[in-house]
Amino acid sequence: MDYALSAQKIKSQAVALGFIEARITTFSLPESHAERLQQWLADGLHGSMHFFEKHGSARTDARYILPEAVSVVTVAMPYWT
């Protein structure tokens, strides 16, 4: 598979759909980010977002939700159009 060509097609399609930008990256956060999230949860800063209490690790590694994931596609859309 030509990953560079696939990435370019995905990004082009995202722009065609109206997104202003699309990026593709790995699915794991650096360890320091994961540690900060765990501390944030331990400090109770998630408030009433109980998903974080139960599934906080899903925010640090997409394999928690999709074990077969190899990358993440993120798109951006402006709020003020």
Side-chain angles (χ1 to χ4, degrees):
M1 173 180 263
D2 186 341
Y3 290 106
L5 179 60
S6 294
Q8 187 54 48
K9 287 181 179 181
I10 291 168
K11 291 176 183 180
S12 295
Q13 184 63 34
V15 171
L17 290 170
F19 294 99
I20 61 169
E21 190 168 356
R23 301 262 176 122
I24 301 172
T25 188
T26 60
F27 49 84
S28 294
L29 288 175
E31 187 62 36
S32 61
H33 290 270
E35 290 170 0
R36 285 177 38 208
L37 174 61
Q38 293 306 319
Q39 186 60 53
W40 184 80
L41 290 168
D43 292 343
L45 298 175
H46 58 286
S48 62
M49 295 184 288
H50 301 293
F51 172 84
F52 278 105
E53 288 178 76
K54 193 171 182 182
H55 305 287
S57 58
R59 298 289 182 190
T60 61
D61 191 338
R63 291 175 294 190
Y64 180 85
I65 297 170
L66 291 169
E68 65 278 2
V70 295
S71 59
V72 173
V73 177
T74 304
V75 294
M77 180 174 282
Y79 286 108
W80 298 280
T81 56

